[in-house]
Amino acid sequence: MGIFDSILGGLGLPRNNYLDPCVMGDESIMSKKAHGTSETPVQSNLRWNCDQKTADNICNFNRHYAEYRGYWESTTFLEEEAATTEITFYDSNTGKPLFVAPRGRSMLDFVKETKSHGWPSFRDSEVIWDDVRVLPGGEAVSTDGTHLGHNLPDAMGNRYCINLVSVAGRPLDDKDESNSEKK
């Protein structure tokens, strides 16, 4: 048991649980599958010019590491999404929707928080809980075994610090199109 768990337990707070509406998962989600922790490798045509090799490593063969801080700014994300009011972020392996942002805040606020932390940062209202789980140690994963990032709560609540390469997929019905879906 770590010091953080000891402190929480001593305060009578639940260990390894996060505030609602966070949906917890268990380690079985990340068990070995056909391609690392997933049944399939990442899509070959990721959005925003995300690097496929980096994405495959982070999504499927990694449980703790991340793309480098600020990686998302080296992609075409800001250029392509500048005029977008809401973006759906898809699992880079399966194409399932995982996050929709911004919700409950402006695009400016979403980008400001993302820049501040160095990775796309999502809030509870932006998570699609049908396809996302948080493991007891804080690791955020898709229900299909894609490593996404971590839940790092702050004063405003749960904050999901997510690798852009993990959510740069194309929707299931649009994997072959080159334009990102915009709403």
Side-chain angles (χ1 to χ4, degrees):
M1 175 172 14
I3 186 107
F4 186 66
D5 288 334
S6 297
I7 292 169
L8 289 178
L11 295 174
L13 298 173
R15 293 185 194 133
N16 297 323
N17 286 314
Y18 299 94
L19 299 173
D20 286 337
C22 181
V23 178
M24 299 299 292
D26 62 51
E27 284 292 324
S28 66
I29 295 170
M30 299 303 283
S31 63
K32 184 168 175 40
K33 298 178 185 74
H35 191 78
T37 58
S38 179
E39 292 297 335
T40 60
V42 297
Q43 297 172 4
S44 61
N45 58 341
L46 297 174
R47 295 190 298 170
W48 310 304
N49 289 330
C50 286
D51 181 73
Q52 184 183 10
K53 183 177 178 184
T54 300
D56 199 46
N57 182 49
I58 288 173
C59 292
N60 300 311
F61 299 99
N62 161 64
R63 298 288 307 278
H64 306 289
Y65 301 103
E67 65 200 17
Y68 63 83
R69 178 183 179 87
Y71 171 85
W72 69 279
E73 291 184 274
S74 73
T75 70
T76 60
F77 176 80
L78 284 173
E79 175 186 329
E80 289 185 40
E81 304 298 347
T84 307
T85 56
E86 194 173 83
I87 306 162
T88 302
F89 295 82
Y90 298 93
D91 186 316
S92 290
N93 288 319
T94 67
K96 290 182 180 177
L98 302 175
F99 301 92
V100 179
R103 285 199 170 156
R105 58 183 169 164
S106 68
M107 180 63 83
L108 183 64
D109 289 339
F110 172 73
V111 170
K112 182 178 177 183
E113 183 173 31
T114 295
K115 280 186 178 188
S116 170
H117 295 292
W119 289 268
S121 295
F122 300 93
R123 296 294 174 167
D124 286 324
S125 63
E126 298 168 326
V127 182
I128 299 174
W129 289 112
D130 289 344
D131 298 314
V132 176
R133 296 292 182 269
V134 176
L135 304 185
E139 182 181 9
V141 301
S142 78
T143 55
D144 292 299
T146 304
H147 171 81
L148 304 174
H150 287 84
N151 180 14
L152 303 170
D154 60 16
M156 295 183 344
N158 292 318
R159 179 177 62 83
Y160 306 93
C161 188
I162 304 299
N163 295 291
L164 185 65
V165 296
S166 299
V167 294
R170 296 188 184 278
L172 294 171
D173 59 355
D174 188 34
K175 286 184 186 175
D176 294 326
E177 292 184 21
S178 61
N179 294 327
S180 65
E181 178 181 89
K182 295 182 181 183
K183 291 187 176 183

